[in-house]
Amino acid sequence: MMKHPDIRMGEDAYAREREWHQGLPWTAAPAETAQSLWDIGSVIRLCGCAKGSTVLDLGCGPGWTSWFLRKCGYRVINVDISFQMLVMSRARDDQAPPAVPVAANGERLPFRANKFDAVVVYDALHHMPDVPAVIRECWRVLKPGGTITIGEPGLIHNLSPSARAIARRTGVLEKGFARIQLQWILLVAGFRAVRHHHRGEITGTRLLSFLSLIAGFMLEPLLPRRKLWLAASKPTATERPAP
Amino acid sequence: MLDKKLLDILACPKCKGELEYRPQEQKLLCWACRLGYRIEDDIPVMLIDEAQPLEGSGR
C-alpha cells in the first residue's frame, strides 16, 4: 500500500526521536521544559472556551498538549498525520474519557462542518506544506463563534541550527512564518478578530491590541526568532457580511 | 468500537460526505468516492492516499 510521504517522514521522526517525544514537555534541558510549560499556558489562555467544549488538537504529535487541554475539562479530538504519534499520544493518556485519536491530513480534515468549539494548532503549521488549505479546513470545521489558536516558532525558524538538524535527521518539513503572513492567511480564509499576542498574553482592550500589533510589526525584524501567537474567531451568522 | 460522538462528526476527507461504519471489517466506507478507510487499533486512518478503492455497489 502506498504511503503518503509526510507519513513516512512522521514515522521516521517518531522512530528517531521517540524518547524525546515521549518525555515532552519534560526534557533534559530545564529551559526547554520551562518554554514548553509557558507555551501550553498560552494555548490554554488563548483558547479560552468553556469547560466541556469540543477542541480539535491539530498536529497533536505525541499528545502532551491535549493532555493539558483535557485537564482543563475539554473534550479533545487528537489529529496527526502520523499513526505512530497517535499511538504514543494514547499511551500517555491517563484521563477518562480519553482524547479521541484520528489519523488525518490537516489539508483534508475528515469532519463535518461546524462541529468544533476551538481548534488548537501548536508548533505544527510549520510542518505542513499547504498552510492556507489547512486554515480553510479549520474554518470549515469550527462552529460559528469558534476560535483558532496558533502558536508557531518565529520567522527564521527554518534557519535555526536545531530545526536544520531535525530536518536533516528526519526529513520533516521545517518553515518560518512572518506574523503578518499568518494574519493574512487567517483573514483570507474568513476569520475575523485576528489577534496577535506577545508571548501568548491577552491584551485587554482594542487599543492595547492595536498597539501590540504595531509594536510586533516594528520589532519583528529585530526579533525574528520570537514565538508567534495568534488567535482568531469564525464569525457568527449575525457578524457575517451579507453576500 | 469507535466512539459514538466521533462517528457523529466524522466525514469523508475527500467529499466531506457521509460514511458507513462497518465494525466487523474495521472500516469506514464512502460510497460517493468509493473509498474504504481502515480502522487500526481503534484509530480511524482517514488518509485519502491510504484508502482502498471499493468494489460492488454498496448498501
Side-chain angles (χ1 to χ4, degrees):
Chain A
M1 189 190 302
M2 173 80 176
K3 281 214 166 190
H4 191 283
D6 286 350
I7 300 167
R8 280 199 297 274
M9 284 178 198
E11 288 179 355
D12 194 27
Y14 162 80
R16 287 166 195 257
E17 316 284 338
R18 182 189 172 112
E19 204 174 312
W20 182 78
H21 276 125
Q22 273 180 330
L24 282 173
W26 321 107
T27 67
E32 198 179 12
T33 302
Q35 181 64 54
S36 297
L37 293 175
W38 178 282
D39 285 356
I40 190 64
S42 303
V43 167
I44 291 164
R45 239 191 333 259
L46 296 180
C47 180
C49 40
K51 221 171 173 175
S53 300
T54 307
V55 178
L56 171 63
D57 187 356
L58 179 55
C60 68
W64 71 272
T65 47
S66 58
W67 187 90
F68 279 93
L69 290 169
R70 296 204 37 257
K71 277 283 180 199
C72 294
Y74 301 143
R75 182 173 167 263
V76 181
I77 310 283
N78 273 348
V79 166
D80 204 283
I81 199 162
S82 164
F83 183 81
Q84 294 301 330
M85 284 290 183
L86 292 167
V87 171
M88 195 190 292
S89 76
R90 196 167 53 183
R92 73 190 299 155
D93 209 334
D94 55 0
Q95 300 173 67
V100 180
V102 178
N105 183 337
E107 295 160 19
R108 309 292 284 273
L109 286 175
F111 303 111
R112 296 179 192 197
N114 310 320
K115 292 294 175 191
F116 292 90
D117 297 294
V119 175
V120 168
V121 200
Y122 168 70
D123 257 357
L125 268 186
H126 64 280
H127 298 310
M128 300 181 188
D130 189 349
V131 173
V134 174
I135 300 297
R136 280 197 300 273
E137 279 292 82
C138 291
W139 192 93
R140 186 182 64 78
V141 302
L142 272 172
K143 291 177 187 172
T147 59
I148 182 169
T149 301
I150 297 172
E152 278 296 311
L155 183 61
I156 57 163
H157 169 70
N158 53 332
L159 303 177
S160 75
S162 60
R164 290 175 68 170
I166 290 171
R168 246 194 330 271
R169 279 203 306 276
T170 66
V172 80
L173 179 63
E174 295 281 359
K175 295 190 214 181
F177 293 112
R179 175 189 44 77
I180 202 154
Q181 178 189 4
L182 287 179
Q183 282 175 321
W184 178 250
I185 292 171
L186 285 163
L187 282 168
V188 169
F191 283 101
R192 293 296 174 261
V194 179
R195 303 171 299 276
H196 166 241
H197 302 278
H198 288 298
R199 298 173 66 86
E201 287 149 7
I202 294 172
T203 46
T205 64
R206 274 169 190 255
L207 176 65
L208 278 174
S209 295
F210 179 72
L211 290 175
S212 128
L213 195 142
I214 298 293
F217 187 70
M218 290 166 75
L219 287 172
E220 200 167 67
L222 304 173
L223 304 166
R225 293 182 65 182
R226 193 186 179 109
K227 196 132 192 158
L228 297 175
W229 289 101
L230 288 113
S233 311
K234 179 174 177 174
T236 57
T238 49
E239 287 169 339
R240 260 178 245 165
Chain B
M1 283 295 279
L2 284 187
D3 183 272
K4 169 80 176 69
K5 285 182 183 166
L6 176 65
L7 286 171
D8 289 342
I9 62 171
L10 270 181
C12 171
K14 194 170 178 187
C15 70
K16 316 301 179 195
E18 202 178 319
L19 294 164
E20 181 189 344
Y21 177 40
R22 294 213 175 153
Q24 273 82 29
E25 296 170 43
Q26 286 292 285
K27 279 207 170 133
L28 287 155
L29 311 181
C30 174
W31 288 106
C33 302
R34 306 194 66 78
L35 288 173
Y37 300 93
R38 75 181 193 280
I39 301 165
E40 196 175 328
D41 205 9
D42 283 339
I43 300 175
V45 181
M46 307 303 290
L47 296 160
I48 299 166
D49 305 272
E50 294 206 18
Q52 288 177 326
L54 294 181
E55 286 166 12
S57 55
R59 305 170 249 197

